């Protein structure tokens, strides 16, 4: 059986369930999502699992274990961004199903139950929230998000209800951590590290913490022709210095990313000195202390630049989520599995959030990254090879077998 080619064929098929054929556009609780469900159901049933959808719209395939045995969870998300690719999210569901099917084909009996979870909403494109499915399981779901509306004014609650979910029952989905062995997720890397190293798989060390800040610079406008250069208080000059300084300083800290991604400028006309700039400064790091130190460094740079350019400046943190480390035992199992499929198995952090971020509130979590061509994701050009996916299925199945051996099969 060419498991990798089977994965490729399946991902090609389910990519057809999309708003248009320019990549994949499949938002949660839409007609495209509904059309994808029977396909995923078939994948789960082919792996010998019983299938149901929970109140939050997560499609769950379950292979029972011995009575009273705990459950190993494997999952990822079915949704995409607008005109995204064939692999982000949905690949983790496909490979999870095929790993379970492969173990079954090999006659491996597991001393625990296995569930494959196809989450509805990881990308957060339709509603201004995400991760409802995993948060419900982890007991961290906030019912207030049910009142959020999409671009058409449809609430999350009504979209979920029309899809066959049960908004009022989402809070009741929380699992007992004592019954869960752990959560595994395979995802495309969404970066160039594995491709640059020439290896198909990597073990994720953790999911980076994120903080977002708004930085404001307030100077003074004036006529671009009549106000002399000396003595200007140009807010955009201050912003430009900060953008460059942050970019340079971030390169000095391993596994830290700092990005100025959005900027608003006033008066934003061709013949006036900019008086006001608001910009976003996002900082991500696997180590929360590194991130806090960098935020402090950025604040000091802002003060220095403000003094030097004669503008007033403030920095305000608007969002924050701590880093989530992967579980050492699950990392070891994934590494042992991956070594059956590849000679070199690097460890690397995840700079992006995943369903695993929320699942970590429930149970130990481990992730395997798979090389994607050019490191690109969230575009129709996203690509992973059948050979690499075959290696991932082999690795995941072997990892589960390792966990079974450790669990006393
Ligand atoms: Zn994803």
């Amino acid at each position: 059986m060419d498991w990798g080619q089977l994965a490729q064929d399946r991902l090609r098929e389910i990519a057809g369930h999309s708003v248009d054929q320019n990549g994949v556009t499949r938002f949660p609780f839409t007609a495209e999502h509904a059309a994808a469900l029977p396909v995923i159901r078939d994948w789960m049933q082919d792996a010998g699992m019983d299938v149901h959808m929970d109140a939050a719209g997560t499609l769950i395939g379950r292979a029972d274990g011995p009575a009273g045995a705990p459950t190993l969870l494997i999952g990822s998300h079915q949704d995409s961004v607008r005109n995204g690719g064939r692999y982000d999210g949905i690949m983790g569901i496909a490979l999870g199903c095929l790993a379970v099917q492969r173990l079954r084909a090999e006659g491996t009996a597991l001393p625990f139950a296995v569930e494959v979870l196809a989450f509805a909403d990881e990308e957060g494109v339709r509603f201004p929230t995400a991760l409802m499915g995993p948060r419900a399981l982890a007991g961290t779901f906030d019912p207030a998000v049910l009142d959020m509306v999409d671009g058409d004014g449809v609430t999350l609650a009504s979209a979920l209800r029309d899809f066959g979910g049960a908004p009022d029952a989402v809070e009741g989905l929380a699992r007992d951590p004592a019954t869960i062995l752990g959560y595994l997720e395979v995802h495309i890397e969404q970066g160039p590290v594995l491709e640059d190293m020439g290896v198909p798989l990597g073990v994720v060390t953790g999911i980076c913490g994120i903080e977002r800040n708004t930085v404001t610079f307030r100077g003074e406008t004036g006529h671009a022709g009549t106000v002399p250069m000396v003595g200007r208080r140009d807010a955009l000059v201050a912003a430009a210095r900060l953008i460059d300084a942050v970019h340079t300083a971030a390169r000095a800290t391993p596994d830290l990313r700092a990005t100025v991604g959005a900027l608003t400028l006033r008066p934003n006309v061709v013949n006036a000195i900019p008086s006001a700039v608001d910009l976003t400064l996002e900082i991500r790091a696997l180590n929360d202390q590194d991130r806090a130190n960098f935020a402090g460094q950025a604040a000091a740079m802002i003060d220095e630049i403000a003094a030097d350019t004669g503008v007033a400046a403030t920095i305000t943190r608007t969002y924050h989520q701590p880093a989530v480390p992967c579980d050492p035992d699950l990392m070891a199992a994934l590494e042992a599995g991956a070594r059956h499929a590849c000679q070199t198995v690097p460890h690397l952090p995840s700079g992006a959030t995943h369903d695993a971020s929320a699942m970590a509130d429930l149970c130990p979590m481990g992730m395997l990254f798979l090389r994607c061509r050019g490191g690109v994701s969230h575009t129709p050009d996203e690509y992973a090879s059948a050979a690499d996916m075959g290696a991932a299925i082999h690795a995941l199945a072997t990892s589960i077998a390792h966990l079974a051996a450790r669990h006393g099969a």
Side-chain angles (χ1 to χ4, degrees):
M1 173 76 91
D2 186 340
W3 297 97
Q5 189 57 50
L6 181 53
Q8 195 71 290
D9 293 344
R10 286 181 167 188
L11 292 175
R12 185 184 305 114
E13 182 200 351
I14 201 164
H17 297 299
S18 167
V19 169
D20 60 40
Q21 297 311 304
N22 178 20
V24 177
T25 302
R26 193 170 55 241
F27 296 160
F29 316 126
T30 58
E32 297 76 35
H33 182 190
L37 284 188
V39 181
I40 300 171
R41 181 181 295 270
D42 283 348
W43 300 350
M44 292 171 168
Q45 287 174 342
D46 283 355
M49 293 186 277
D50 297 322
V51 186
H52 76 283
M53 192 178 79
D54 77 10
T58 303
L59 195 70
I60 300 176
R62 179 178 171 90
D64 274 329
T71 302
L72 177 69
L73 305 174
I74 304 166
S76 199
H77 57 99
Q78 72 76 35
D79 65 324
S80 74
V81 296
R82 188 179 301 284
N83 302 122
R86 286 183 185 178
Y87 302 88
D88 185 338
I90 190 71
M91 183 193 76
I93 300 168
L95 301 191
C97 291
L98 288 171
V100 174
Q101 190 172 337
R102 181 178 167 137
L103 284 166
R104 194 179 172 87
E106 291 169 350
T108 308
L110 299 176
F112 42 73
V114 178
E115 289 183 20
V116 176
L117 310 171
F119 294 118
D121 67 335
E122 193 270 349
E123 299 288 4
V125 178
R126 180 175 176 188
F127 296 97
T129 183
L131 301 171
M132 176 170 62
R135 283 183 180 149
L137 299 180
T140 59
F141 167 72
D142 175 5
V145 303
L146 291 166
D147 295 328
M148 289 180 171
V149 293
D150 69 6
D152 296 322
V154 178
T155 65
L156 175 53
S158 69
L160 176 60
R161 195 177 296 113
D162 290 350
F163 193 72
D168 295 340
V170 173
E171 264 190 296
L173 293 174
R175 301 282 183 101
D176 176 359
T179 65
I180 306 296
L181 270 182
Y183 173 80
L184 299 177
E185 181 167 353
V186 186
H187 201 281
I188 55 168
E189 182 204 334
Q190 300 184 266
V193 173
L194 295 175
E195 185 173 72
D196 287 350
M197 293 180 74
V199 297
L201 302 175
V203 173
V204 177
T205 50
I207 297 172
C208 290
I210 305 175
E211 70 174 74
R212 294 183 175 141
N213 301 276
T214 299
V215 180
T216 65
F217 290 107
R218 294 291 179 267
E220 190 175 16
T221 190
H223 192 287
T226 62
V227 179
M229 295 308 292
V230 175
R232 286 189 180 193
R233 296 168 55 226
D234 185 325
L236 186 56
V237 169
R241 287 196 193 172
L242 178 70
I243 293 167
D244 186 49
V246 158
H247 181 80
T248 303
R251 295 169 66 158
T253 309
D255 292 335
L256 184 131
R257 316 271 186 262
T259 306
V260 174
L263 182 149
T264 56
L265 170 63
R266 285 195 304 274
N268 202 20
V269 294
V270 69
N271 60 351
I273 298 164
S275 60
V277 174
D278 297 334
L279 59 83
T280 59
L281 170 58
E282 194 201 65
I283 309 168
R284 300 189 186 219
L286 190 56
N287 182 305
D288 287 333
Q289 191 57 51
D290 286 350
R291 179 166 51 76
N293 291 346
F294 189 84
Q297 199 183 338
M301 290 190 293
I302 288 165
D303 286 346
E304 198 179 308
I305 290 165
D308 202 42
T309 55
V311 306
T314 61
I315 178 167
T316 309
R317 193 160 84 169
T318 56
Y319 176 81
H320 160 246
Q321 75 182 49
V324 183
C326 291
D327 177 69
D329 287 344
L330 291 180
M331 283 176 63
L334 287 170
E335 172 156 5
R339 285 199 180 280
H340 280 254
C342 352
Q343 283 183 329
T344 307
V345 183
H347 288 197
L348 72 171
S350 173
T353 301
H354 296 287
D355 293 292
S357 314
M359 291 301 285
D361 289 326
L362 172 66
C363 60
M365 172 276 286
M367 286 192 78
L368 202 57
F369 269 171
L370 193 146
R371 167 170 63 184
C372 53
R373 187 174 64 195
V376 301
S377 65
H378 289 190
T379 97
D381 294 333
E382 207 174 270
Y383 178 77
S385 72
D388 286 1
M389 289 192 285
I393 293 164
H394 186 184
L396 185 57
T398 310
S399 304
I400 296 168
H402 275 260
L403 289 171
R406 197 183 305 163
H407 205 74

